[in-house]
């Protein structure tokens, strides 16, 4: 049985991914290491607790000895690396942890994997010829777009927040481990995800929670900032494809061609709530504009044609279908 190390699997995307992977590949043994920061939530993993081929380890990816011991114990042949500090607002207030986890933690994992799998540059140990490191990253590394254009894998990096700068640094370290040592690394850069199990602090859970509580729904600036929204399960499918069929050393952009601005998102969620949980006034009356985030990127949009044409990936959901499932899930969470 193949042993795979998943990092940060108690977070939003990681927990969705572990369930997806266990259902799709029953012969894989998953070890999930997560520090359980404020963003890690073991209840996200309730559905996988019963699987015999799943193990949880509470730990920090920056803890070199722990990572080395896990590699010795499980002889991993794959790493799927989600663990990160992921909230831009937090990175503006206190960037330290972003550098520690996103930069040093990623370096630590890459370096231990290299030493465990390889004898020297481009020489893999016999039983690790296929071993692969999948690094999960974001489209935010490319900086911001104007009204036109899309991020391709060739777009120069221009990160603008401490979060995106730390992710860009980790992408470069991953890249260097392929080019210098020949480590089998694949990187994915994905647009904004949404769906069940996302932390309360993020935009869509915040809109739904505040709407349901009757609070003001805070929208930065004029609400015109655009993101390319992807339903989390579509991201999981892209990660699985990139891990199994991607080319070593390549990067793949993942995005669902669902550009929507923040005000549209808030209005759409309010309209759906007006239908499913009507009250005397529309939820839209709660939308209120607040002071913009410093350095707020205007627009992100992904050209996903490489992963579509080379690996056969395609998003199943558009924003309007995915958001309904998401709202149902959060209504149960917040009112259930
Ligand atoms: P999240 O914040 O929900 O989860 C991160 C997880 O990592 C948490 O469970 C946390 O406890 C864990 N973690 C943090 N520091 C750790 C450490 N030092 N050691 C071990 N575990 C640690 O994040 P997410 O939204 O699920 O994002 C997962 C990955 O996907 C990140 O690398 C992020 O940059 C990337 N990404 C996210 C999005 C998005 O829209 N959410 C989009 C593109 C890429």
């Amino acid at each position: 049985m193949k042993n795979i190390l998943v990092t940060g699997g108690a977070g939003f995307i990681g927990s969705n991914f572990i369930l997806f992977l266990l259902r799709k590949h029953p012969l894989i043994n998953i070890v999930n290491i997560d520090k359980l920061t404020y963003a890690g939530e073991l209840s996200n993993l309730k559905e996988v607790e019963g699987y015999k081929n799943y193990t949880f380890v509470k730990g920090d990816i920056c803890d070199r000895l722990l990572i080395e011991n896990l590699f010795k114990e499980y002889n991993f042949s794959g790493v799927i690396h989600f663990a990160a500090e992921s909230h831009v607002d937090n990175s503006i207030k206190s960037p330290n942890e972003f550098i520690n986890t996103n930069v040093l933690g990623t370096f630590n994992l890459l370096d231990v994997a290299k030493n465990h799998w390889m004898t020297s540059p481009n020489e893999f140990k016999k039983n690790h010829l296929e071993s692969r490191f999948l690094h999960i990253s974001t489209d935010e590394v490319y900086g911001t777009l104007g009204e036109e254009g899309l991020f391709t894998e060739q777009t120069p990096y221009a990160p603008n927040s401490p979060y995106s700068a730390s992710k860009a640094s980790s992408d470069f370290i991953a890249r260097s481990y392929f080019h210098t040592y020949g480590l089998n690394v694949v990187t994915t850069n994905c647009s904004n995800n949404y769906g069940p199990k996302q932390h309360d602090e993020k935009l869509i859970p915040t809109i739904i929670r505040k709407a349901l509580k009757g609070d003001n729904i805070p929208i930065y600036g004029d609400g015109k900032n655009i993101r390319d929204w992807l339903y989390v399960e579509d991201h999981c499918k892209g990660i699985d494809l990139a891990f199994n069929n991607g080319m070593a050393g390549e990067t793949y952009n993942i995005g669902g061609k669902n550009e929507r601005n923040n005000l549209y998102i808030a209005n759409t969620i309010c309209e759906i709530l007006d239908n499913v949980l009507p009250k005397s006034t529309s939820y839209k009356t709660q939308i209120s504009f607040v002071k913009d985030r410093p350095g707020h990127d205007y627009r992100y949009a992904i050209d996903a044609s490489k992963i579509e044409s080379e690996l056969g990936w395609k998003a199943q959901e558009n924003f309007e279908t995915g958001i309904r499932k998401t709202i149902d899930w959060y209504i149960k969470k917040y009112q259930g």
Side-chain angles (χ1 to χ4, degrees):
M1 214 174 190
K2 231 175 155 178
N3 289 338
I4 302 287
L5 178 66
V6 172
T7 72
F12 165 44
I13 306 172
S15 59
N16 279 283
F17 181 76
I18 287 174
L19 184 61
F20 171 89
L21 201 67
L22 285 169
R23 286 179 173 155
K24 180 144 189 246
H25 304 285
L27 294 179
I28 284 180
N29 189 38
I30 297 178
V31 176
N32 169 19
I33 180 173
D34 197 297
K35 189 178 171 183
L36 296 181
T37 66
Y38 79 95
E41 191 45 78
L42 276 183
S43 63
N44 283 344
L45 291 159
K46 271 217 156 51
E47 294 118 302
V48 305
E49 278 167 4
Y51 282 83
K52 290 212 170 59
N53 50 335
Y54 167 77
T55 307
F56 177 73
V57 175
K58 182 174 184 312
D60 189 335
I61 57 166
C62 299
D63 182 343
R64 175 97 186 190
L65 196 61
L66 172 65
I67 302 296
E68 283 173 348
N69 285 338
L70 288 175
F71 267 80
K72 274 186 209 138
E73 186 177 350
Y74 293 98
N75 193 22
F76 298 119
S77 56
V79 176
I80 303 182
H81 174 37
F82 294 93
E85 288 293 333
S86 71
H87 192 37
V88 176
D89 288 346
N90 294 343
S91 84
I92 295 167
K93 283 182 219 119
S94 41
N96 297 36
E97 267 319 291
F98 287 73
I99 305 304
N100 283 335
T101 288
N102 301 2
V103 183
L104 299 175
T106 302
F107 160 70
N108 212 20
L109 290 164
L110 285 161
D111 202 53
V112 173
K114 170 183 80 68
N115 293 344
H116 191 82
W117 294 343
M118 305 180 77
T119 50
S120 56
N122 301 309
E123 293 297 331
F124 279 85
K125 295 177 186 167
K126 258 207 208 94
N127 54 343
H128 286 292
L129 294 173
E130 303 290 320
S131 294
R132 164 163 285 182
F133 191 110
L134 186 81
H135 175 56
I136 318 285
S137 193
T138 165
D139 62 351
E140 302 195 25
V141 297
Y142 298 121
T144 186
L145 290 166
E147 298 293 342
E148 301 284 314
L150 299 171
F151 295 135
T152 73
E153 288 79 2
Q154 275 72 49
T155 302
Y157 274 33
N160 288 323
S161 71
Y163 165 64
S164 54
S166 68
K167 291 297 290 187
S169 310
S170 68
D171 294 8
F172 285 152
I173 299 166
R175 178 189 156 90
S176 77
Y177 268 65
F178 171 75
H179 285 276
T180 302
Y181 306 109
L183 187 70
N184 184 340
V185 180
V186 174
T187 298
T188 55
N189 293 87
C190 188
S191 59
N192 278 50
N193 284 215
Y194 67 99
K197 304 180 181 175
Q198 191 166 26
H199 193 273
D200 283 352
E201 69 190 352
K202 299 283 170 71
L203 178 70
I204 288 178
T206 298
I207 294 173
I208 302 170
R209 190 179 67 258
K210 300 273 184 188
L212 293 174
K213 275 176 77 179
D215 292 347
N216 282 344
I217 300 169
I219 297 294
Y220 279 136
D222 59 5
K224 297 280 168 60
N225 300 68
I226 296 168
R227 301 292 179 260
D228 186 351
W229 291 93
L230 185 70
Y231 191 63
V232 64
E233 208 175 300
D234 282 324
H235 188 187
C236 293
K237 289 175 188 160
I239 292 167
D240 185 44
L241 278 171
F243 183 67
N244 287 300
N245 305 335
M247 288 268 291
E250 291 295 311
T251 65
Y252 297 90
N253 282 356
I254 310 180
K257 298 193 186 80
N258 274 272
E259 287 183 54
R260 305 287 185 272
N261 73 35
N262 290 348
L263 192 54
Y264 173 88
I265 303 245
N267 278 322
T268 305
I269 292 172
C270 290
E271 279 162 25
I272 295 171
L273 289 175
D274 282 341
N275 278 321
V276 295
L277 291 173
K279 49 180 199 164
S280 55
T281 53
S282 169
Y283 291 90
K284 284 185 189 175
T285 58
Q286 293 164 235
I287 294 174
S288 74
F289 296 96
V290 297
K291 191 169 180 284
D292 208 355
R293 165 192 279 167
H296 201 174
D297 286 338
Y298 169 60
R299 174 173 166 256
Y300 304 144
I302 284 270
D303 175 351
S305 51
K306 180 175 175 184
I307 193 169
E308 287 174 347
S309 63
E310 292 184 14
L311 304 184
W313 178 83
K314 203 165 176 29
Q316 302 292 309
E317 303 287 345
N318 62 35
F319 182 74
E320 287 65 30
T321 58
I323 195 65
R324 283 178 187 276
K325 297 185 190 181
T326 307
I327 291 173
D328 285 349
W329 192 87
Y330 283 100
I331 288 177
K332 286 193 194 98
K333 172 174 175 177
Y334 295 135
Q335 297 203 322

